[in-house]
């Protein structure tokens, strides 16, 4: 929630009101929308010129949907004169400036920035759920974690919010620091992992670590850096921050530590949560050891906020996987299907595959990995796909690869001595939508023919491969 005055004050004379000599600076906007189909009564519609779509063509649609105003570079002639059009030389910069001013008015809210190569969204959801036990908590919608999502989330602040769990992504070194300096610095930061994600942008995993560390470098001495002790790249970020450090993880020196892991790795493990001499037993519904790590990150944020271990346990035990992130569903022929279609990189593929491997199945049951291309790897694409395929050799029984660079999964699986008859490759030009869907249909037909009720199927690929379309096929 923010006002017209936030826009005017933040942009300090660089914006003007089209065809209006005056407007009420106290006008309130409930939220910001960049898609005219999502506009609700009173919202601010931001007209962005993108690579494929120009939001200025939808100003009239936003006005008809009840928008309170539009922020644009070129006013529309297709709206009534009374409709407020705020004209700026750069809509994104104006959005950032508005979010900065609005956030500065919210002195009673603790901002928690959350980043990492894997688990950002699930960790954000868990952190927000735990902190909600202490007070009203704002959280990033879905995975809106970029230069648009970060300010849009902050403009959703309301006076009662005590915490804001803010997912923050990056595709270049300096981006996180830029977001913090331009819009708002978090008071606490949570770092999940450093892995081989977005290598086409960063160039190396070392550069990924450098980029993620920016979120702890910007913290003030009275801030808190919540770091994954089990990831050496994250653990070493302690040297880059002036803030107090809280380690979470399974390692002996973690401040918030998980011990005595056991139970069903696919449907949720149990563990003992340890903090400052206190212990409490937790039974999760999140899959894999990475589910325990997500829970420990949220527990660390809760401990920092003074949430009791009993309340932390109650929240952790209520968590379930986010959409498309390790959801357990019914598969073909009464098999078990893991819907992990939201996104993929090598580390996340191996994490859920290890959970599959550790799960007991009925005699004769098999483990299937159905994988499509991993995007944004640049010159590392062949290496990362092949390394994934090679590691799968000891974790799954069958590999079904779909796409173009997915052929390198096959190379790796063969190197790992996976039997050739257990490997299936469905080639497709990923730029050709119909060809890609045909490959998915062929893979689905294979699975429906071969899979039994004792089998487990993992379905996973990069966001742009839209592996979720296979769910209906199966």
């Amino acid at each position: 929630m923010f006002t017209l005055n936030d826009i005017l004050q933040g942009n300090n004379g660089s914006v003007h009101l089209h065809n209006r000599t005056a407007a009420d600076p106290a006008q309130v906007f409930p939220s910001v929308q960049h898609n005219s189909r999502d506009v609700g009564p009173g919202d601010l519609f931001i007209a962005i010129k993108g690579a494929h779509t120009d939001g200025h063509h939808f100003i009239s649609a936003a006005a008809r949907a009840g928008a309170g105003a539009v922020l644009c570079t070129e006013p529309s002639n297709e709206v009534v004169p009374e409709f407020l059009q705020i004209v700026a030389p750069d809509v994104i910069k104006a959005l950032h400036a508005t979010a900065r001013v609005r956030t500065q008015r919210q002195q009673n809210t603790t901002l928690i920035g959350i980043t990492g190569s894997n688990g950002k969204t699930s960790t954000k959801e868990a952190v927000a759920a735990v902190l909600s036990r202490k007070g009203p908590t704002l959280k990033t919608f879905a995975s809106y974690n970029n230069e648009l999502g970060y300010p849009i989330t902050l403009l959703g602040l309301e006076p009662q919010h005590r915490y804001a769990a803010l997912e923050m992504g990056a595709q270049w070194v300096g981006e996180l620091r830029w977001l913090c300096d331009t819009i708002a610095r978090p008071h606490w930061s949570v770092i999940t992992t450093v892995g081989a994600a977005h290598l086409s942008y960063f160039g190396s995993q070392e550069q990924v670590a450098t980029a993620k560390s920016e979120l702890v470098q910007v913290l003030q001495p009275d801030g808190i850096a919540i770091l994954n002790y089990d990831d050496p790249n994250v653990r070493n970020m302690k040297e880059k921050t002036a803030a107090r450090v809280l380690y979470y993880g399974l390692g002996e020196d973690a401040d918030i530590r998980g011990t005595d892991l056991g139970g069903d790795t696919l449907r949720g493990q149990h563990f003992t949560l340890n903090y400052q001499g206190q212990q409490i037993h937790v039974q999760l519904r999140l899959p894999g050891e990475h589910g325990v790590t997500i829970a420990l990150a949220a527990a660390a944020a809760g401990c920092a906020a003074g949430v009791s271990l009993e309340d932390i346990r109650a929240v952790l035990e209520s968590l379930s996987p986010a959409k498309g992130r390790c959801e357990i569903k019914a598969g073909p022929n009464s098999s078990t299907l893991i819907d992990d279609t939201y996104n993929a990189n090598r580390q996340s593929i191996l994490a859920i595959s290890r959970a599959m491997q550790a799960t007991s199945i009925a005699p004769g049951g098999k483990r299937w990995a159905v994988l499509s291309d991993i995007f944004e790897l640049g010159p590392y694409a062949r290496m990362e796909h092949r390394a994934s395929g090679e590691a799968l050799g000891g974790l799954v029984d069958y590999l079904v690869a779909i796409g173009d660079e997915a052929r390198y999964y096959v190379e790796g699986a063969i190197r790992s001595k996976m039997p050739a008859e257990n490997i299936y490759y469905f080639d497709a030009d990923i730029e050709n939508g119909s060809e890609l869907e045909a490959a998915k249909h062929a893979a689905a037909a294979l699975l429906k023919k071969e899979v039994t009720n004792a089998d487990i199927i993992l379905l996973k690929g990069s966001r742009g491969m839209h592996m979720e379309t296979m769910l209906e096929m199966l």
Side-chain angles (χ1 to χ4, degrees):
M1 178 184 296
F2 59 104
T3 66
L4 175 59
N5 192 54
D6 291 323
I7 301 174
L8 300 175
Q9 182 182 343
N11 289 280
N12 194 26
S14 64
V15 302
H16 69 271
L17 310 182
H18 178 66
N19 282 348
R20 297 280 287 274
T21 56
D24 182 4
Q27 179 178 346
V28 173
F29 301 100
S31 63
V32 179
Q33 303 295 342
H34 60 90
N35 187 327
S36 62
R37 291 172 293 187
D38 297 330
V39 167
D43 287 347
L44 176 70
F45 175 62
I46 53 173
I48 298 172
K49 292 183 178 181
H52 305 291
T53 305
D54 185 349
H56 290 77
H57 297 155
F58 300 93
I59 292 176
S60 60
R64 289 193 299 272
V70 62
L71 181 62
C72 60
T73 57
E74 301 168 5
S76 171
N77 296 321
E78 299 177 357
V79 296
V80 297
E82 296 77 23
F83 181 65
L84 180 59
Q85 300 190 76
I86 308 164
V87 183
D90 187 314
V91 169
I92 301 298
K93 286 183 179 179
L95 177 70
H96 289 183
T98 304
R100 181 175 62 251
V101 167
R102 174 63 188 91
T103 306
Q104 288 171 350
R105 289 202 287 111
Q106 193 84 4
Q107 294 296 314
N108 63 331
T109 301
T110 299
L111 309 181
I112 302 100
I114 301 166
T115 196
S117 298
N118 297 304
K120 290 187 294 295
T121 300
S122 296
T123 301
K124 174 260 300 181
E125 292 290 334
V127 166
V130 169
L131 293 179
S132 292
R133 285 296 180 110
K134 199 70 176 178
T137 301
L138 175 70
K139 65 179 180 179
T140 302
F141 173 72
S143 298
Y144 281 21
N145 59 23
N146 59 8
E147 66 173 354
L148 270 182
Y150 186 50
I152 286 174
T153 300
L154 288 169
L155 287 170
L157 281 168
E158 298 192 8
Q160 68 269 25
H161 284 134
R162 289 187 59 187
Y163 301 97
L166 305 165
E167 182 177 336
M168 301 180 70
Q171 294 184 334
W172 43 275
V173 172
E175 184 173 8
L176 288 176
R177 181 181 291 278
W178 170 68
L179 286 173
C180 294
D181 290 346
T182 303
I183 304 170
R185 293 189 176 206
H187 302 99
W188 305 350
S189 295
V190 180
I191 315 295
T192 61
T193 62
V194 170
H198 308 302
L199 289 182
S200 63
Y201 300 112
F202 290 113
S204 69
Q205 192 161 308
E206 290 74 21
Q207 288 289 83
V208 175
T210 298
K212 301 303 181 184
S213 72
E214 292 166 12
L215 206 58
V216 302
Q217 293 178 46
V218 300
L219 294 175
Q220 297 297 316
D222 61 351
I224 304 175
I226 301 173
L227 305 178
N228 181 357
Y229 185 84
D230 301 329
D231 185 319
N233 286 307
V234 178
R235 182 170 68 241
N236 293 337
M237 291 180 191
K238 179 179 183 179
E239 308 303 321
K240 296 189 174 185
T241 185
R244 175 164 71 99
V245 170
L246 271 181
Y247 282 128
Y248 66 92
L250 304 178
E252 189 172 344
D253 291 329
D255 300 295
I256 294 85
R257 186 184 180 203
T259 58
D260 309 315
L261 273 67
D264 189 332
T265 57
L266 195 58
R267 292 170 177 81
Q269 293 186 282
H270 58 76
F271 68 98
T272 301
L273 175 61
N274 303 265
Y275 178 61
Q276 293 186 341
Q278 303 175 73
Q279 295 184 330
I280 198 165
H281 184 266
V282 179
Q283 173 63 61
L284 294 177
R285 292 192 291 159
L286 302 174
E289 191 172 296
H290 57 290
V292 176
T293 301
I294 289 166
L296 290 171
C303 290
V307 182
S308 70
L309 289 193
E310 289 77 13
D311 279 350
I312 290 173
R313 173 175 64 184
V315 173
L316 297 182
E317 292 189 337
S318 72
L319 296 175
S320 56
K323 182 177 176 60
R325 295 170 173 88
C326 301
E327 292 182 282
I328 307 300
K329 298 181 176 180
N333 306 324
S334 301
S335 61
T336 299
L337 187 146
I338 306 170
D339 174 6
D340 204 18
T341 56
Y342 181 77
N343 215 341
N345 60 28
R346 174 164 54 90
Q347 286 78 9
S348 64
I349 289 171
L350 298 187
I352 188 59
S353 297
R354 291 189 189 104
M356 288 173 63
Q357 195 273 336
T359 298
S360 298
I361 57 177
K366 302 296 182 183
R367 298 171 178 85
W368 297 71
V370 183
L371 306 175
S372 65
D373 290 12
I374 306 173
F375 288 177
E376 299 178 355
L377 292 175
Y380 297 89
R382 181 175 185 179
M383 179 182 73
E384 286 295 311
H385 285 86
R386 188 168 59 187
S388 300
E390 191 165 0
L392 286 172
L395 301 175
V396 302
D397 302 296
Y398 288 88
L399 169 65
V400 179
I402 303 169
D404 179 10
E405 291 173 336
R407 71 184 71 232
Y408 303 128
Y409 291 130
V410 175
E411 282 188 11
I414 291 172
R415 290 177 64 173
S416 73
K417 309 300 184 192
M418 182 182 288
E421 60 270 22
N422 290 11
I423 302 172
Y424 300 88
Y425 174 51
F426 296 90
D427 187 15
D429 177 358
I430 63 173
E431 301 296 330
N432 185 325
S434 59
E435 185 175 317
L436 179 57
E437 291 305 300
K440 293 177 187 177
H441 275 284
L446 166 76
L447 293 168
K448 288 190 284 188
K449 178 183 177 183
E450 299 293 338
V451 164
T452 71
N453 62 358
D455 292 356
I456 303 175
I457 306 167
L458 168 64
L459 199 60
K460 192 168 179 63
S462 271
R463 180 88 295 269
M465 293 294 288
H466 299 290
M467 288 294 282
E468 69 275 7
T469 62
M470 286 193 68
L471 296 172
E472 189 173 339
M473 301 175 195
L474 293 171

